[in-house]
Amino acid sequence: MEFQVNHAPTFSTLQLSLEKDEFVVAQPNSMLTMTAGIRIVARAGRQDQADADASNANQPRRHSWFGGVKNLLGGENFFTAEFRAKEDDQTVVLAPESYGDIVTLNLSEDSGYYMTRGSYLANIGPTVLKIKYGGLKGLMSKKGLFLMHATGSGQVFCQSFGAVVHRYLEAEETLFVDNRFMIAFSDSIEYKLVKATDKISDSLMSGEGLVNRYTGPGHVFYQTRSKPTGGFLSMLVDAAF
């Protein structure tokens, strides 16, 4: 399957060219345009590789309502949408809900990624996406209790708010990031919640309380803007999940 990112870096769209029976899984409401030979199927949760094989064989596919709940915990939609080509030479164009760029994560047997809440846009190829518990450090660092973990050998596409900065951290190299800005990072990276300042007064006056410390080796992708909050109640709900 061929793909390309157009209109970067502010109004990015993801264009995918599909042959018969190829498909892309994406967040609902992300389709901008598609050709007539595309069939859309919505399901609760996510499709694993066994389901994909069943789809190719025109067998019934399993739906996972529990998977949909896990999607919500990871900050994603309860449902996912599958765009499958019924014939050759079909095109789907996806558009993120935010003004910003699109990050392509290339997966391999030795390279998986963690994605933060709300970053996921779509995936293609043999990809396994699971919601994993991030612990208290995820809650306190404003990214929620759960992270999405991507493994396999396909590609995952992430949406950003603002421009995207990519850094590769060498072994033992450290980077501190305010986690409102984090998009994704290699699962080979160690991350730990730490204080941004030595004194509480400095934290209050600077607006920087707790941040995550990322230690290589691996890739980190972060955005140059954070999404505006929806008020105090919205912040509590986001923190809870």
Side-chain angles (χ1 to χ4, degrees):
M1 187 186 306
E2 296 182 354
F3 62 87
Q4 62 184 30
V5 176
N6 298 320
H7 314 299
T10 306
F11 303 104
S12 302
T13 61
L14 175 63
Q15 179 176 312
L16 303 109
S17 301
L18 290 73
E19 300 301 314
K20 184 177 181 181
D21 288 329
E22 289 185 330
F23 66 94
V24 55
V25 179
Q27 284 279 54
N29 300 320
S30 61
M31 190 272 291
L32 177 62
T33 64
M34 69 178 188
T35 51
I38 297 290
R39 179 169 60 94
I40 302 176
V41 177
R43 60 172 50 81
R46 296 193 171 277
Q47 180 184 38
D48 59 27
Q49 193 59 42
D51 288 333
D53 294 339
S55 298
N56 290 330
N58 295 319
Q59 297 175 1
R61 287 164 291 185
R62 296 169 294 182
H63 294 252
S64 173
W65 294 96
F66 181 63
V69 173
K70 290 195 293 184
N71 277 3
L72 292 177
L73 294 176
E76 311 303 330
N77 199 287
F78 185 87
F79 295 95
T80 54
E82 177 192 283
F83 300 86
R84 181 179 292 269
K86 297 183 292 184
E87 53 192 65
D88 291 340
D89 300 323
Q90 301 303 307
T91 302
V92 175
V93 179
L94 304 178
E97 62 178 8
S98 304
Y99 299 137
D101 212 343
I102 294 175
V103 177
T104 302
L105 304 178
N106 295 305
L107 306 177
S108 68
E109 293 182 359
D110 301 322
S111 177
Y113 284 89
Y114 284 107
M115 292 172 286
T116 59
R117 182 180 179 88
S119 297
Y120 170 80
L121 174 63
N123 65 274
I124 59 176
T127 303
V128 178
L129 296 171
K130 294 184 178 180
I131 303 300
K132 292 202 171 183
Y133 178 62
L136 183 61
K137 60 185 175 184
L139 172 63
M140 298 302 294
S141 61
K142 309 169 188 175
K143 274 301 182 182
L145 285 169
F146 299 89
L147 294 171
M148 182 177 288
H149 187 215
T151 57
S153 57
Q155 285 85 28
V156 177
F157 305 96
C158 297
Q159 54 191 338
S160 74
F161 189 65
V164 174
V165 181
H166 168 237
R167 284 278 302 272
Y168 180 79
L169 302 181
E170 300 291 346
E172 304 304 322
E173 183 181 0
T174 297
L175 180 68
F176 295 86
V177 182
D178 185 316
N179 291 280
R180 293 172 298 171
F181 299 88
M182 182 56 68
I183 299 172
F185 56 95
S186 301
D187 55 12
S188 59
I189 284 181
E190 178 184 349
Y191 70 106
K192 183 177 182 180
L193 183 68
V194 297
K195 293 190 300 181
T197 63
D198 294 330
K199 298 180 181 179
I200 295 179
S201 58
D202 290 334
S203 295
L204 293 175
M205 298 175 70
S206 68
E208 300 295 340
L210 298 172
V211 297
N212 266 355
R213 180 179 66 204
Y214 297 87
T215 304
H219 300 271
V220 294
F221 296 88
Y222 57 93
Q223 58 197 18
T224 58
R225 295 291 185 272
S226 64
K227 288 186 178 180
T229 62
F232 181 71
L233 180 59
S234 178
M235 290 175 62
L236 288 179
V237 173
D238 285 344
F241 294 103

